[in-house]
Amino acid sequence: MNNTPVKLTTDHLANFVGPEELAMLQPMVTVADQLLRSGTGAGHDYTDWVHLASQFDSAELVQIQQAAAKIKNQSKVLVVVGIGGSYLGARAVIDFLSDYFNSAYPDGDRDFPQILFAGNSISPSYLNSLIKLIGDRDFSVNVISKSGTTTEPAIAFRVLKELLENRYGHQAARDRIYVTTDANQGALKTLADQQGYEKFVIPAGVGGRFSVLTAVGLLPIAAAGFDIDQLLAGAKEAENAYRSADLSQNPAYQYAAYRNILYRKGYTTELLVNYEPTLVQIGEWWKQLQGESEGKDGKGIFTATGNFSTDLHSFGQYIQEGRRNLFETVLRVKNPVSDLAVPTGQAEDGLGYLEGENLSYVNRMASEGTLLAHVAGGVPNLLVEIDKQDEFTLGHLLYFFEIAVGVSGYLNGVNPFNQPGVEAYKQNMFALLNKPGYEDLHQQFQDQGLI
């Protein structure tokens, strides 16, 4: 696996996990792999992502690219409406591939529409600020929801649809709305059929947190100007790279196995650590992928992120000397997008020893020094290093994490592809809002004096 753009290093686990422990997990990994690939494991109806990149429909890809070109020609802004897996993947990819301050660039400096995200909260201030940011610029909307009735995106879509129709008229507004939804059913599909909105399909066999390489993620990513062919090519390469169930041949499965060993030793929190601000949203996508896949039945690793070196000045003290229940996975970029040398001739700031050094080198040494300190302090560390920040590498990395969590969930004895706990807050919210069908629970809350 040395020729792949994603490399796993486990050297810093030597004091925490013995080689015999990994070997003892091999039979369970083999079974987990069989369950996943044969479609016989729990949640198997939602495992079509395993071969998604290599089997992607070419006609659908052309439709996505044509719609992206149309959005570019008609709009300065594309608002992506969705929550959870309906937006996290696209946002992570766009941030990963963009200049950090891309969203602040004037329209004249843009070759592609500004991508904004709505429907991921119920905050009126956020939505009002987004509308203000759109201003009088031409805009389009891509609404993403399997059902069309999820509260957060449904509210945002109502607001934005009204704004579109008031600005362009009902007929022209229809040409600026792109719907990504279920192929056969749901309120959003019904509306799209009635109004004639252009539709894209959320595959029935792909859950939201695995959907970034479907139209869910690919349409906004393409509209932002990035190469979705290369993104899929990277994921396709990863399909081949991580095909073996042999732990010695499969770094993604090694990652899954080491996580499970550490979890069973009491390391119940995992930090995904980055040293590049454009990787922050990758961490947000990863948190949902890992946490929603494994956090059930009273089990699972709690997933969090560390944005270093920034967070080393906030909760770095806790990592170094707090409870020894956490481990880190460091996500590091080998070749930076750009570099900058430390200026010379300013000795009063005490940086004479760094004069002329590239910031990438300083950042790398901060990474190495932190890793050594945390390991010495009792924090196990895994290192995932990617060659560079481009579409091909990212496609490979996304699949690395996806295939790893599929196996990891089975190793932990849970269904990695459902999320029953997500519905609990919705039921209470609906009852508090007196939604039809929740009258009994609404009455209970009234009796308890909650409303």
Side-chain angles (χ1 to χ4, degrees):
M1 296 306 158
N2 290 332
N3 59 342
T4 63
V6 177
K7 297 177 177 60
L8 176 71
T9 300
T10 60
D11 297 349
H12 297 284
L13 293 181
N15 295 333
F16 306 96
V17 180
E20 73 285 352
E21 294 179 86
L22 190 67
M24 288 176 67
L25 214 56
Q26 179 63 70
M28 288 177 277
V29 169
T30 300
V31 171
D33 173 76
Q34 291 171 347
L35 291 172
L36 181 62
R37 296 184 186 279
S38 66
T40 56
H44 59 83
D45 289 341
Y46 293 94
T47 57
D48 287 356
W49 55 269
V50 173
H51 301 294
L52 184 65
S54 60
Q55 298 177 4
F56 204 93
D57 182 71
S58 58
E60 183 183 8
L61 193 59
V62 169
Q63 183 195 2
I64 291 170
Q65 291 167 329
Q66 289 175 341
K70 180 182 171 186
I71 292 167
K72 175 189 173 184
N73 290 330
Q74 72 182 172
S75 294
K76 294 292 188 180
V77 176
L78 172 66
V79 184
V80 179
V81 179
I83 195 167
S86 294
Y87 95 100
L88 282 170
R91 185 170 184 180
V93 171
I94 291 168
D95 272 25
F96 179 95
L97 297 171
S98 297
D99 289 342
Y100 185 75
F101 294 107
N102 181 59
S103 62
Y105 293 160
D107 286 339
D109 294 335
R110 295 178 184 280
D111 294 323
F112 297 91
Q114 182 178 17
I115 311 297
L116 303 176
F117 296 90
N120 47 60
S121 75
I122 316 177
S123 166
S125 300
Y126 179 92
L127 200 51
N128 280 323
S129 294
L130 183 142
I131 293 169
K132 183 178 179 181
L133 180 59
I134 294 172
D136 60 2
R137 293 183 294 170
D138 286 324
F139 75 103
S140 299
V141 172
N142 176 206
V143 56
I144 305 167
S145 174
K146 264 196 174 181
S147 66
T149 59
T150 303
T151 307
E152 295 90 341
I155 292 173
F157 181 51
R158 268 204 184 199
V159 172
L160 292 164
K161 177 172 172 285
E162 182 180 69
L163 186 63
L164 278 169
E165 291 176 346
N166 288 341
R167 180 173 299 185
Y168 301 106
H170 182 79
Q171 185 72 22
R174 293 193 304 185
D175 196 45
R176 293 176 174 273
I177 295 174
Y178 301 82
V179 169
T180 309
T181 190
D182 190 89
N184 302 307
Q185 60 185 355
L188 188 55
K189 184 202 180 289
T190 300
L191 178 66
D193 289 341
Q194 291 173 346
Q195 297 297 322
Y197 301 147
E198 184 167 2
K199 297 193 301 292
F200 298 87
V201 173
I202 302 174
V206 180
R209 58 189 176 275
F210 292 88
S211 67
V212 60
L213 297 177
T214 71
V216 170
L218 295 180
L219 178 56
I221 292 166
F226 299 112
D227 190 338
I228 57 175
D229 288 315
Q230 280 297 296
L231 194 68
L232 288 169
K236 182 179 178 180
E237 183 202 62
E239 283 186 30
N240 292 323
Y242 306 128
R243 192 175 298 276
S244 174
D246 186 343
L247 281 171
S248 68
Q249 301 296 316
N250 192 327
Y253 284 9
Q254 286 180 28
Y255 174 61
Y258 278 119
R259 292 177 75 249
N260 274 264
I261 293 169
L262 291 168
Y263 172 64
R264 294 171 193 183
K265 288 173 176 281
Y267 297 99
T268 56
T269 296
E270 179 180 12
L271 292 180
L272 184 71
V273 171
N274 71 76
Y275 285 80
E276 289 289 344
T278 49
L279 271 60
V280 169
Q281 291 300 324
I282 290 290
E284 296 303 303
W285 170 82
W286 172 89
K287 280 197 301 189
Q288 184 193 15
L289 179 71
Q290 304 289 343
E292 200 169 74
S293 297
E294 296 189 301
K296 54 200 73 167
D297 298 338
K299 306 174 185 176
I301 295 169
F302 180 79
T303 50
T305 55
N307 305 311
F308 292 175
S309 62
T310 304
D311 286 339
L312 292 174
H313 295 260
S314 54
F315 67 92
Q317 170 63 40
Y318 185 92
I319 299 172
Q320 188 67 47
E321 296 184 344
R323 292 186 62 190
R324 300 298 77 183
N325 65 338
L326 58 85
F327 67 98
E328 293 172 298
T329 297
V330 180
L331 179 57
R332 192 159 67 188
V333 182
K334 183 178 181 181
N335 300 300
V337 173
S338 62
D339 218 332
L340 186 67
V342 178
T344 60
Q346 301 176 35
E348 65 276 4
D349 58 14
L351 294 181
Y353 69 103
L354 291 179
E355 288 186 354
E357 292 286 3
N358 286 333
L359 282 184
S360 63
Y361 171 76
V362 179
N363 202 23
R364 178 68 174 246
M365 292 305 99
S367 160
E368 292 285 357
T370 303
L371 191 153
L372 293 171
H374 287 180
V375 170
V379 180
N381 266 251
L382 297 104
L383 174 63
V384 176
E385 186 170 67
I386 59 176
D387 283 347
K388 54 188 174 180
Q389 288 183 237
D390 65 6
E391 291 93 337
F392 185 88
T393 302
L394 181 54
H396 193 113
L397 179 69
L398 295 173
Y399 191 85
F400 172 92
F401 282 128
E402 288 178 346
I403 198 73
V405 82
V407 166
S408 184
Y410 285 146
L411 288 177
N412 208 23
V414 300
N415 177 353
F417 308 114
N418 68 354
Q419 53 279 339
V422 173
E423 299 304 315
Y425 91 89
K426 295 180 183 179
Q427 294 174 8
N428 288 341
M429 179 179 68
F430 293 153
L432 289 166
L433 292 169
N434 204 18
K435 180 179 179 178
Y438 293 83
E439 291 84 0
D440 290 345
L441 188 54
H442 180 81
Q443 185 61 52
Q444 289 181 32
F445 288 155
Q446 280 188 323
D447 294 343
Q448 294 169 18
L450 296 176
I451 49 178

